[in-house]
Amino acid sequence: MATASLAQAQDAATTAAPQAAEEQPSEEGAIIVTGFRASLENAVIAKKDRDQVVESISAEDIGKLPDASIAESIARLPGLTSQRVSGRSNAISIRGFAPDFSTTLLNGREQTSTGDNRAVEYDQYPSEVVSQVLVYKTPMASIVGQGLSGTVDLRTIRPLDYAKPTISIGGRGTYTDIGKLNAGSKDTGYRVNASYVDQFANDTIGIALSASYLDEPYQIQEFNAWGYAGDGSAAAPRVIGGSKSYITSTQLTRLGLQGTLQWRPSPNFTSTVDAFYSDFKDDQIKRGVELPLAFGNNLVTLTNTTVSNGFVNSGTFNNIEGVVRNDVFERKAKLYSFGWNNSWKGDDGWNVTLDLSLSKTDRNELVLESNAGTARGENVGAKDTISFTSGRNGTVFDPTLNYGDYNVIRLTSPLGWGGTQIAPDGSAILNGQDGYYNNRLIKDELKQYRLEIEKELDNSFLRSVQFGLNYTDRTKALTPDESFLGLVANTDGLTSVTVPEQFRKGTSNLGFLGLGPVISYDPRELLDAGIYRLVKNPYGDVVVKAYDIHEKVMTAYLQGNIKAELGSSTLTGNFGVQANWTDQNSNGGTATFLGTNANGSPNIGATARRESTDYLDVLPSVNLSLRTASDFVIRLSAAREIIRPRLDDMRASLSYGFNIQNNTALLSGNTGNPDLRPWRANAIDLTFEKYFGRQGYVAAQFFYKQLKSYIYNQDVVFDTSTIPLSNPGNGVTILPFGILNIPVNGEGGKLYGVEIAGTFPFSSITEALDGFGITGGGSYTKTRIAPTPGSDSRDLPGYSKWVVNGTAFFEKWGFNARGSVRYRSTFVGELSGFGAARTRRRARGEMIVDGQLGYDFQEGSALHGLSIFLQGQNLTNEPFVTTDPGAPNQVIDYQSYGRRFLLGASYKF
């Protein structure tokens, strides 16, 4: 079949139900391949039969994807890779583009996100509830919500297509060998799952239910540099300016529930209801020491230095006031997804599909920072003398102060950060904040309504014609809740408090950085006990973080599907056009300083800003596949592609400040752009594929994308009379123009490359190697992106020139073993910065090595249906490293996650 209508796509979620064990004789005596080899065969069939350039993964068995997470499985596909977040694969890059450039569907439907943008974070979806993943690298008119780099479609089981009633249960234990880094943390965890599939009423009603629960730890050693002082000259060599380094312990819990109910009262009509629910919590405690070094005050001195090539490799900093940090990062998200699909397939060739869906995410993200030190205020308490050594792995320190002594290190504001802060109600923090409370409340809701009509034709060339309408209504809103954290006992601006014994967690050891033990407590407990209190942050930078984006998209498409015999070959494919009418609305605000209240607090006003725009995109596409009798497939695809702007880039919020010189004020600030248009590209793909039956293939895939529009940040001059301004001071004149940093649409550039991919069973060479094989691929991508004419080229976020992945496997007689390698060259990664703001940094290339051993008990055994396995992840303990551009010794982040081992079993009956 050349392509699939919406109804067929919904019903094709499970192409083949693999059996338990590795290979079994059927009742007729034929060999049925199952397990990982069956998963690969299903992937080969999916790639071969479709007319787009597609990569896919199928579950080895019900509730059993090849890897512990969806993202890890997807990242092994040709041309795809992932970025690790807190030690786990979470975001996917396709063909050198960041996750922002792709979209993710669940059973063909668009989904809300647990992140700030559109890109789905995959650890929200348990791998146990997904039966198949399809990655479309080229678009076609009948796919709604497709991305510019690709579209990932997660599929769940269709119970009426499953072979027979089945119950499956499984569980695994997890161990991280880096240890219990923080006091009170864990190095072991577990996950359990269960699935049930059955059919009733003469196979006219089917039900599939899945549940998954995990409670697993992640441990991270984190070095972070503020940056590097100096210019690299002999007079001013580059030297670390400051350090904020942690040991981080994460406890990840997630409950995932999925259910599907199908009703097929006649062969012509099928009604399917899907529901998915995820309750996700990522609870992190971060403990460490923040050290102002070369960027510290003028009392800090640097002695005993050794310098090489303009870089200080070692030395001693004197008069250092360190800040001990006990910070909490608590992220909670609940995701709801519902869909109702009704499909009529008429005997006269007329097919009609109606699909309704709702996706909703409620999320809150709390960052609670807490400070401790020797005394309140700068240059008051005991100082430290710290020796250091800097290199490719960051900086290691040798302090003289014991940061784990509760009698020396107390709750306070060691450097007086923030000074005195007064809220509008008169409550105050005196002589420095003791921490900060930042809670981000996000609501994301997406409704989708779709109608498709298809007419099958008795024609030697045109097989069918599809027409569809889809309406998507999405709203995403952020509400910030921010406060200063202060000690209740600090009524004079001089007080520090020793951590009460009942709240002490012992000490946590930063030995990997040479900093030794640090005092340990949970600031949430101190806040609940009334030792800390919150004083609302009244400033305008909080007001302008709020936004409300409302996006409405009407999509119409027309697609013709081709199947024609050309001699001994067959031409299949589709051609069509999709039109998107977009109406985007953005609500935000501009903060204005109106003076000082009588109690000394700032008087901040806010002016509402509401803006909207609308535009039309027309997206033609063609996909052609020439299939020869010798199992060669040649594909040619051409299309216009888009991806809509980041939602947070569309915010209608403006923040600004004054730069005053000679009684003249220049306004500068930043804002979102509600008038942003999508990234747009013209794309061509050409692939050559050779298949070896249904077991293997090799392919060369060439692609070229001409970016017609690029979104980047630019400083622009604007008329200051267009916004309400506060008085910067008596006798100060505001210039009639100001400078705003704003995301804008640029000219774009080019991105092109080649992917070599394949799956090859060694039995094709000789039967003596039956059971052995390899699968994987490599890609080389080149980019020339110049957002404005004449500007320097730059890399796209997430772009790696080289991406290589491969898996070698053996599977026979119930035994299975495989080793996997995933490599990506250097790229621009996205991390969470101060106050949960996103920041981009240059990341080093990395190679991840994983492995698995297992055994499936065979038919005839008393344990038939039982599978046991041992998985090892990140076996070489590969770190995640970012550096200053072009300066490999100037490490900004160095994160080590350790190795993870999973021992588990599943049973199907």
Side-chain angles (χ1 to χ4, degrees):
M1 184 172 62
T3 187
S5 68
L6 174 62
Q8 292 166 326
Q10 294 282 346
D11 291 339
T14 302
T15 57
Q19 309 298 311
E22 185 271 332
E23 57 181 36
Q24 305 172 17
S26 69
E27 293 179 0
E28 291 80 14
I31 297 297
I32 301 174
V33 178
T34 59
F36 184 62
R37 291 166 64 186
S39 172
L40 292 179
E41 285 196 11
N42 288 335
V44 171
I45 294 168
K47 185 175 183 69
K48 181 179 180 180
D49 288 351
R50 294 179 181 270
D51 289 307
Q52 297 163 274
V53 180
V54 172
E55 312 294 347
S56 73
I57 306 159
S58 295
E60 298 178 37
D61 210 329
I62 181 172
K64 188 180 177 184
L65 275 182
D67 292 284
S69 77
I70 294 173
E72 288 165 0
S73 290
I74 297 174
R76 302 195 196 286
L77 294 173
L80 280 73
T81 190
S82 68
Q83 179 181 329
R84 291 179 293 171
V85 178
S86 297
R88 58 186 187 269
S89 293
N90 190 22
I92 295 297
S93 295
I94 302 175
R95 286 185 162 175
F97 285 89
D100 294 346
F101 295 91
S102 62
T103 57
T104 299
L105 313 176
L106 181 62
N107 293 319
R109 306 176 179 110
E110 295 181 72
Q111 298 297 296
T112 52
S113 169
T114 55
D116 284 348
N117 191 29
R118 304 174 191 274
V120 162
E121 297 180 326
Y122 287 96
D123 55 12
Q124 193 71 33
Y125 296 92
S127 60
E128 294 86 355
V129 306
V130 175
S131 66
Q132 186 184 40
V133 181
L134 293 171
V135 181
Y136 301 105
K137 293 181 176 177
T138 59
M140 66 180 180
S142 59
I143 295 182
V144 174
Q146 53 202 348
L148 187 145
S149 62
T151 307
V152 180
D153 192 3
L154 310 178
R155 301 286 184 85
T156 58
I157 287 175
R158 292 292 171 259
L160 289 181
D161 296 332
Y162 205 77
K164 54 189 175 182
T166 303
I167 297 175
S168 175
I169 58 175
R172 67 188 69 183
T174 305
Y175 169 70
T176 176
D177 75 344
I178 203 171
K180 305 174 184 178
L181 296 183
N182 272 293
S185 65
K186 301 177 181 178
D187 58 4
T188 59
Y190 68 95
R191 60 173 64 187
V192 292
N193 64 279
S195 298
Y196 168 67
V197 181
D198 208 346
Q199 303 82 28
F200 308 92
N202 296 321
D203 292 341
T204 61
I205 297 176
I207 187 171
L209 301 173
S210 298
S212 173
Y213 182 78
L214 69 80
D215 186 346
E216 292 184 334
Y218 288 82
Q219 303 282 352
I220 313 165
Q221 295 174 335
E222 299 182 63
F223 165 80
N224 172 263
W226 289 4
Y228 291 81
D231 56 16
S233 65
R238 301 282 279 173
V239 63
I240 183 170
S243 168
K244 184 170 68 174
S245 302
Y246 294 103
I247 45 176
T248 299
S249 299
T250 295
Q251 198 67 29
L252 181 67
T253 58
R254 182 192 62 209
L255 171 66
L257 304 173
Q258 186 272 331
T260 298
L261 176 65
Q262 277 191 297
W263 179 46
R264 188 176 293 156
S266 72
N268 301 90
F269 178 72
T270 303
S271 184
T272 305
V273 176
D274 290 297
F276 173 75
Y277 169 76
S278 175
D279 188 349
F280 174 93
K281 183 179 180 182
D282 185 356
D283 193 352
Q284 293 187 4
I285 187 74
K286 304 169 77 72
R287 297 188 174 110
V289 183
E290 190 161 6
L291 299 170
L293 301 171
F295 291 152
N297 61 38
N298 56 11
L299 296 181
V300 174
T301 61
L302 175 60
T303 58
N304 304 324
T305 60
T306 60
V307 181
S308 175
N309 298 321
F311 183 77
V312 179
N313 298 304
S314 64
T316 301
F317 283 105
N318 307 286
N319 297 317
I320 298 299
E321 291 184 88
V323 181
V324 173
R325 303 288 296 269
N326 280 251
D327 298 349
V328 168
F329 179 83
E330 185 181 85
R331 191 176 186 213
K332 300 177 181 178
K334 292 186 178 181
L335 187 149
Y336 311 83
S337 183
F338 304 95
W340 182 27
N341 181 269
N342 295 279
S343 171
W344 171 264
K345 299 179 181 179
D347 296 329
D348 56 358
W350 285 96
N351 305 321
V352 180
T353 301
L354 175 66
D355 192 83
L356 311 176
S357 64
L358 168 68
S359 179
K360 182 179 179 181
T361 300
D362 294 328
R363 167 176 138 237
N364 78 283
E365 198 171 88
L366 171 65
V367 178
L368 179 57
E369 301 173 344
S370 170
N371 303 327
T374 59
R376 181 173 298 276
E378 192 173 23
N379 298 323
V380 177
K383 308 293 196 304
D384 197 1
T385 298
I386 299 180
S387 301
F388 70 95
T389 301
S390 296
R392 285 183 57 85
N393 296 338
T395 300
V396 177
F397 303 96
D398 184 9
T400 57
L401 197 65
N402 181 3
Y403 293 101
D405 188 339
Y406 281 92
N407 295 316
V408 174
I409 305 300
R410 297 181 295 166
L411 304 175
T412 191
S413 180
L415 295 173
W417 284 338
T420 296
Q421 301 289 351
I422 305 174
D425 65 1
S427 58
I429 300 291
L430 302 180
N431 194 21
Q433 64 196 56
D434 300 285
Y436 197 74
Y437 179 96
N438 181 2
N439 196 17
R440 306 167 75 241
L441 308 173
I442 299 101
K443 292 187 177 294
D444 194 356
E445 183 174 279
L446 188 152
K447 300 173 184 176
Q448 195 168 16
Y449 314 89
R450 185 170 178 180
L451 174 68
E452 180 181 283
I453 300 173
E454 180 182 29
K455 172 59 177 174
E456 297 177 3
L457 304 174
D458 186 12
N459 188 295
S460 60
F461 178 75
L462 196 60
R463 183 178 58 81
S464 68
V465 176
Q466 298 167 244
F467 171 75
L469 289 173
N470 182 90
Y471 179 71
T472 301
D473 187 342
R474 182 172 192 171
T475 302
K476 190 159 190 170
L478 165 65
T479 303
D481 177 14
E482 300 188 23
S483 297
F484 299 105
L485 192 70
L487 288 166
V488 173
N490 180 32
T491 58
D492 56 4
L494 302 173
T495 301
S496 303
V497 172
T498 301
V499 178
E501 289 191 9
Q502 66 268 34
F503 297 113
R504 297 180 184 180
K505 307 293 184 183
T507 58
S508 301
N509 198 327
L510 273 74
F512 78 104
L513 291 174
L515 291 171
V518 296
I519 67 169
S520 301
Y521 56 91
D522 189 330
R524 291 170 294 192
E525 295 179 359
L526 300 180
L527 181 61
D528 292 341
I531 295 171
Y532 283 132
R533 64 188 176 115
L534 299 178
V535 172
K536 204 74 173 176
N537 184 342
Y539 292 101
D541 61 337
V542 176
V543 175
V544 299
K545 291 179 183 178
Y547 64 81
D548 182 349
I549 307 294
H550 190 190
E551 187 177 69
K552 294 173 283 187
V553 183
M554 173 61 77
T555 301
Y557 61 88
L558 180 65
Q559 178 174 301
N561 303 309
I562 300 168
K563 186 174 184 180
E565 302 300 325
L566 301 178
S568 62
S569 300
T570 303
L571 179 68
T572 65
N574 55 76
F575 61 93
V577 63
Q578 186 180 105
N580 293 332
W581 290 270
T582 302
D583 178 14
Q584 62 190 37
N585 302 268
S586 180
N587 298 325
T590 299
T592 305
F593 179 71
L594 302 176
T596 302
N597 296 319
N599 59 17
S601 66
N603 183 7
I604 304 294
T607 302
R609 181 184 176 198
R610 296 180 175 87
E611 294 193 21
S612 63
T613 189
D614 56 81
Y615 51 86
L616 169 65
D617 278 291
V618 178
L619 309 174
S621 63
V622 60
N623 295 275
L624 300 175
S625 298
L626 182 65
R627 307 170 185 275
T628 71
S630 56
D631 256 359
F632 275 99
V633 180
I634 302 174
R635 305 185 197 274
L636 176 64
S637 300
R640 184 69 178 267
E641 302 170 339
I642 66 168
I643 191 72
R644 291 188 178 82
R646 288 184 62 107
L647 291 164
D648 49 0
D649 276 347
M650 294 159 53
R651 69 191 188 281
S653 301
L654 169 65
S655 61
Y656 68 88
F658 291 114
N659 181 12
I660 302 175
Q661 291 184 355
N662 300 323
N663 290 328
T664 301
L666 173 66
L667 184 148
S668 63
N670 63 80
T671 179
N673 185 356
D675 197 43
L676 274 182
R677 299 300 197 266
W679 301 72
R680 297 184 174 107
N682 295 332
I684 298 177
D685 284 73
L686 177 63
T687 75
F688 301 90
E689 303 165 5
K690 167 61 179 175
Y691 289 87
F692 309 101
R694 54 185 287 160
Q695 293 185 329
Y697 79 98
V698 291
Q701 304 175 167
F702 302 87
F703 62 91
Y704 175 89
K705 294 182 188 289
Q706 173 72 55
L707 289 174
K708 308 303 292 184
S709 174
Y710 180 100
I711 297 174
Y712 70 107
N713 281 67
Q714 184 181 56
D715 288 334
V716 298
V717 178
F718 78 108
D719 182 0
T720 57
S721 66
T722 60
I723 62 173
L725 298 176
S726 58
N727 184 357
N730 293 331
V732 176
T733 301
I734 301 175
L735 292 175
F737 61 88
I739 305 296
L740 273 184
N741 186 264
I742 182 173
V744 296
N745 291 104
E747 293 297 321
K750 301 174 183 178
L751 186 139
Y752 51 92
V754 59
E755 299 165 350
I756 305 298
T759 294
F760 189 74
F762 290 169
S763 59
S764 301
I765 303 173
T766 172
E767 284 300 317
L769 296 176
D770 182 45
F772 290 94
I774 57 173
T775 183
S779 66
Y780 172 81
T781 307
K782 186 70 175 176
T783 179
R784 292 204 304 269
I785 306 297
T788 57
S791 67
D792 293 334
S793 296
R794 63 179 67 175
D795 286 353
L796 286 166
Y799 161 74
S800 289
K801 180 179 292 186
W802 292 98
V803 172
V804 180
N805 53 66
T807 297
F809 63 87
F810 171 78
E811 191 168 55
K812 197 171 185 180
W813 307 304
F815 292 99
N816 58 81
R818 56 183 181 262
S820 299
V821 176
R822 185 171 77 245
Y823 169 79
R824 68 180 304 182
S825 59
T826 178
F827 63 99
V828 177
E830 186 169 296
L831 296 89
S832 179
F834 176 76
R838 62 187 174 99
T839 182
R840 288 172 175 163
R841 299 190 185 117
R842 168 64 62 181
R844 280 187 197 161
E846 58 184 19
M847 180 181 291
I848 314 299
V849 179
D850 303 323
Q852 176 171 314
L853 297 171
Y855 182 75
D856 302 325
F857 288 89
Q858 301 293 282
E859 190 169 358
S861 167
L863 297 176
H864 175 59
L866 176 66
S867 299
I868 56 176
F869 58 89
L870 172 66
Q871 290 182 339
Q873 299 174 342
N874 193 26
L875 293 175
T876 58
N877 192 19
E878 184 78 353
F880 174 75
V881 185
T882 71
T883 62
D884 273 354
N889 280 346
Q890 295 175 30
V891 175
I892 302 298
D893 299 282
Y894 189 97
Q895 299 181 4
S896 179
Y897 309 118
R899 303 167 184 84
R900 294 176 64 80
F901 297 95
L902 299 88
L903 177 64
S906 64
Y907 187 73
K908 188 180 82 169
F909 53 93

